[in-house]
Amino acid sequence: MKKVLFFCSAFLFILTNAFSQKKLAEIPRADEIPVVNPDAILITNSVPKLFDGIWEGKDRYIMFQEKSELENIVKDEVELTEDNYIWIYLKMFYGWYYDRSAEKYTKKTSPEKYDSNDVVFRDIQNIKIQFKKLLDIEDCNAYEIIVSYPNIKEKTVIPVAVIGDELYLDFSVRSDYKTYEQTKDNDENVSSFTGSWSSVAHVSGIKVSKPIVSENLYSLYVTENRIYSIRYWKTDMEYNSGKAYFSDGEKKYEVPKHIVSAGNVYTCVTGRSVTIRNVELKKNLNLSEYKLDSKNLVLATGTPYMKRISQTCDFESMMDIVAKANARKAPKEDPPLPPFKADWDMEDIKSIGIHKKILDAVRRRQNEFYEKYPFKLKMY
């Protein structure tokens, strides 16, 4: 009996092991996957020239300034301990009046007269920033802004892309950017959109408080005649530079298994699996809605979060913008009723006089009748 049980156990173990090896056959060995540290790209403590100037959004202005530029603005008792800061200047009252945050002067000591609608805040907060390239190339258009908010221990990472004079929060970067230029040179027919695009985490904005970070990413894989959307979700797994695969029935495509963005790790597969099952074929997708940078390595979508309105990044330029904005006057409110244009004719005026005489005669007869035959109310 013991021999029979031992034989059955051994047979089941062999079958299980063979089945597992068959399932894991497509997974590359650990020694074949070079594990790359996503933080290997150095963080810079200087503001890249890409971010120079004053940026305007729907509800705020932003300047990325170095310590030397801020020392003449903030009050003397404010200590600037870092090299770079982000200056966020809010629009107030539906954009008709702008606040005067971070001014060195107060209402009493200001050389200029304050408008009664101006808002005076305390001095500028020490919002420290650093920059990290998303692509390891010389002229990179995509960065992660590492923000240290006051009284928050954890740093906040905000991915941004700058294309021309527009700043985007919703964008993707080319997964194979290191080999793309070589492929493009060898094949002139390669489309600017063709390839794997890794999405970055979308944040709710560049704010004075910690923004909300998206839980899901939607990367794209563009072929000659099809566009596939691949969902990545936040995970606690360690980052791995391996690849994941999906097929359209004819060809097999590979994309990054993990994406590191905004300080989080996102995955498109579960566990050790390398087969993607949540691929969606995009139909009737207009590529004209997307915007590429000059090197075809950054793909932005939607409307830009901010636009550069000035190449000069200093306090005087900002105050000039505020003064011009506050000099505007709100338009007059529309009347509750539309204006009526009188269009009278002389015959109409004459008829009014005639009708008035008739009405007066009717009312006179009514009064005479009432005086002659007064109504008597009876109580029942």
Side-chain angles (χ1 to χ4, degrees):
M1 186 66 180
K2 291 183 178 180
K3 291 182 178 181
V4 174
L5 291 174
F6 175 80
F7 177 78
C8 293
S9 301
F11 182 74
L12 289 173
F13 175 79
I14 293 172
L15 286 178
T16 304
N17 186 53
F19 180 77
S20 300
Q21 292 297 327
K22 184 178 179 181
K23 286 292 183 182
L24 300 175
E26 295 182 354
I27 301 178
R29 298 196 311 270
D31 56 353
E32 294 178 351
I33 302 176
V35 178
V36 180
N37 183 2
D39 295 326
I41 302 176
L42 296 178
I43 296 175
T44 177
N45 288 321
S46 60
V47 179
K49 293 184 178 179
L50 196 69
F51 296 93
D52 286 348
I54 300 176
W55 299 86
E56 181 183 13
K58 184 179 179 181
D59 56 355
R60 66 197 60 219
Y61 287 104
I62 286 181
M63 290 192 298
F64 304 96
Q65 291 192 315
E66 297 183 358
K67 180 179 179 180
S68 59
E69 299 171 334
L70 282 176
E71 286 178 336
N72 297 327
I73 300 175
V74 299
K75 296 178 182 178
D76 296 334
E77 58 268 22
V78 177
E79 182 182 2
L80 300 176
T81 57
E82 300 295 329
D83 295 329
N84 303 313
Y85 296 87
I86 183 172
W87 186 3
I88 301 177
Y89 206 89
L90 299 178
K91 298 179 181 179
M92 305 296 290
F93 302 109
Y94 304 98
W96 286 109
Y97 297 98
Y98 292 37
D99 69 23
R100 306 183 70 150
S101 172
E103 284 197 30
K104 189 174 183 179
Y105 306 103
T106 63
K107 223 170 193 180
K108 295 181 179 179
T109 61
S110 174
E112 298 180 3
K113 184 180 179 180
Y114 269 65
D115 191 278
S116 59
N117 288 285
D118 287 342
V119 179
V120 183
F121 284 110
R122 58 177 180 168
D123 202 84
I124 187 172
Q125 298 185 54
N126 287 326
I127 303 181
K128 310 171 186 64
I129 56 172
Q130 292 175 303
F131 295 87
K132 187 180 79 171
K133 291 182 177 180
L134 284 176
L135 303 177
D136 191 10
I137 57 177
E138 184 177 355
D139 298 327
C140 181
N141 287 356
Y143 281 82
E144 284 186 338
I145 302 177
I146 304 172
V147 186
S148 299
Y149 288 106
N151 303 322
I152 299 180
K153 294 183 179 180
E154 296 181 357
K155 294 184 178 181
T156 302
V157 182
I158 303 176
V160 297
V162 177
I163 301 178
D165 289 331
E166 297 177 339
L167 187 147
Y168 291 87
L169 297 180
D170 191 0
F171 67 97
S172 303
V173 295
R174 191 178 289 277
S175 305
D176 54 346
Y177 71 94
K178 292 185 177 180
T179 59
Y180 172 73
E181 291 293 337
Q182 182 179 358
T183 305
K184 184 180 178 182
D185 295 338
N186 296 337
D187 188 358
E188 296 181 354
N189 296 324
V190 175
S191 171
S192 301
F193 291 95
T194 302
S196 174
W197 296 91
S198 296
S199 178
V200 300
H202 185 271
V203 299
S204 56
I206 304 176
K207 303 183 176 182
V208 294
S209 58
K210 192 172 182 178
I212 301 173
V213 183
S214 57
E215 294 287 334
N216 298 286
L217 310 182
Y218 293 90
S219 297
L220 297 177
Y221 195 100
V222 183
T223 65
E224 295 179 358
N225 52 10
R226 293 182 179 180
I227 299 177
Y228 298 95
S229 176
I230 305 164
R231 185 176 74 92
Y232 286 75
W233 58 92
K234 194 182 295 185
T235 180
D236 295 332
M237 291 189 292
E238 294 184 1
Y239 172 78
N240 190 293
S241 61
K243 302 294 182 181
Y245 307 90
F246 71 93
S247 174
D248 61 357
E250 298 178 357
K251 295 183 180 180
K252 192 175 183 180
Y253 305 100
E254 67 175 27
V255 297
K257 182 177 180 179
H258 290 165
I259 294 177
V260 177
S261 185
N264 300 308
V265 179
Y266 296 84
T267 183
C268 60
V269 292
T270 56
R272 297 186 63 188
S273 174
V274 294
T275 303
I276 304 174
R277 304 186 183 280
N278 55 330
V279 179
E280 179 185 358
L281 176 61
K282 290 286 186 179
K283 297 180 180 179
N284 301 324
L285 187 63
N286 187 6
L287 289 178
S288 62
E289 298 175 355
Y290 294 84
K291 190 170 185 179
L292 284 167
D293 68 331
S294 58
K295 293 188 175 182
N296 299 334
L297 300 181
V298 179
L299 180 66
T301 182
T303 57
Y305 177 66
M306 308 197 83
K307 293 185 178 181
R308 195 197 323 259
I309 59 172
S310 174
Q311 295 290 342
T312 306
C313 180
D314 54 38
F315 177 73
E316 287 74 17
S317 299
M318 177 64 80
M319 288 297 100
D320 183 58
I321 292 173
V322 173
K324 290 180 180 178
N326 288 342
R328 298 177 302 170
K329 300 299 180 182
K332 295 182 179 179
E333 295 184 0
D334 295 333
L337 298 175
F340 177 76
K341 184 179 179 181
D343 186 16
W344 299 101
D345 189 79
M346 288 302 298
E347 295 297 328
D348 297 330
I349 297 175
K350 291 179 181 179
S351 64
I352 292 176
I354 296 173
H355 292 159
K356 185 175 184 303
K357 293 179 180 179
I358 296 174
L359 290 175
D360 291 343
V362 171
R363 291 194 181 100
R364 187 171 58 254
R365 289 197 301 270
Q366 289 176 343
N367 293 332
E368 291 175 354
F369 181 83
Y370 177 76
E371 291 175 357
K372 187 176 182 180
Y373 305 101
F375 292 99
K376 294 181 181 180
L377 299 177
K378 295 181 179 181
M379 302 299 295
Y380 294 96

